[in-house]
Amino acid sequence: MALIVSVFLLLSTTRYFTNVNQCPPHSARHLLKRQTRHLSYREHSVLPPLPVLTPQSVSFTFSLSGAVVMVVLSKEFGYVVLTGAASFVMVAHLTINVGKARKKYHVEYPQMYSDDPENGKIFNCIQRAHQNTLESYPAFLFFLVMAGIHSPRAASALGLTWTVGREVFAHGYSTGGERRLPPE
């Protein structure tokens, strides 16, 4: 799986590269100079042009099973990071809501749900809205980063939509939902 992800990252970031004559800053410079010298002996090679960074991108290299992998992130990737931070604030807000509801409805730890027939349903809805968000949060962060590598603005817009949608969902679900129940 890690190999598939690293190949995807490598292939999806080639759109940020330009020609071989530009020198990238910092970490990738030695690797690219070595590759450039090697290709100068084979000028008529069928190899694709070597990736070189543009000033609008950031790179870092790491070794994966002996192979050097270069990941290039657009400067717009900062939007993705801010979206992840906003989603963290949303999850923290839901956590605070559960803490307040625990005090209000007298539900002590480690009990997850309330057995109170009068007000237990409202606490359970607040708790369940938070738990439901936590169940999908790791997948959200993973796909936010993966999509952000390829299209940072679109990923950020969709991520903010998800974050606001989860907040609206949690607010609606936390009311107890008398309107949502079928008539008896």
Side-chain angles (χ1 to χ4, degrees):
M1 182 65 182
L3 181 61
I4 293 171
V5 169
S6 63
V7 168
F8 170 75
L9 291 175
L10 191 60
L11 292 177
S12 67
T13 57
T14 56
R15 69 186 182 104
Y16 298 113
F17 295 125
T18 58
N19 64 27
V20 176
N21 295 327
Q22 296 176 341
C23 278
H26 311 299
S27 63
R29 179 172 281 166
H30 67 279
L31 175 67
L32 292 171
K33 280 186 177 179
R34 209 171 356 133
Q35 289 176 346
T36 304
R37 261 188 272 120
H38 177 67
L39 282 181
S40 65
Y41 298 112
R42 299 192 269 157
E43 292 181 12
H44 303 291
S45 174
V46 293
L47 294 174
L50 288 175
V52 179
L53 303 172
T54 65
Q56 293 82 26
S57 60
V58 177
S59 77
F60 58 93
T61 59
F62 61 94
S63 178
L64 180 69
S65 302
V68 176
V69 178
M70 182 188 320
V71 178
V72 179
L73 300 175
S74 163
K75 294 230 179 191
E76 294 175 341
F77 193 77
Y79 296 133
V80 175
V81 173
L82 289 176
T83 302
S87 70
F88 179 79
V89 169
M90 181 266 308
V91 170
H93 177 252
L94 296 181
T95 304
I96 290 168
N97 287 348
V98 172
K100 287 179 181 178
R102 280 190 181 277
K103 289 180 183 175
K104 182 177 179 180
Y105 298 113
H106 308 292
V107 179
E108 300 297 324
Y109 285 107
Q111 191 175 0
M112 284 287 287
Y113 296 103
S114 175
D115 296 330
D116 182 17
E118 189 176 315
N119 292 320
K121 181 177 180 183
I122 295 174
F123 172 79
N124 291 344
C125 287
I126 294 169
Q127 172 72 6
R128 189 62 206 138
H130 179 242
Q131 289 295 326
N132 188 281
T133 300
L134 289 179
E135 289 166 2
S136 62
Y137 193 58
F140 163 74
L141 288 177
F142 174 77
F143 289 117
L144 177 70
V145 170
M146 289 297 114
I149 290 171
H150 187 266
S151 302
R153 286 186 181 182
S156 182
L158 292 172
L160 285 175
T161 303
W162 183 87
T163 302
V164 170
R166 293 310 298 184
E167 189 68 41
V168 170
F169 163 77
H171 176 71
Y173 198 84
S174 298
T175 60
E178 295 298 327
R179 298 185 307 251
R180 292 180 285 126
L181 296 176
E184 293 181 16

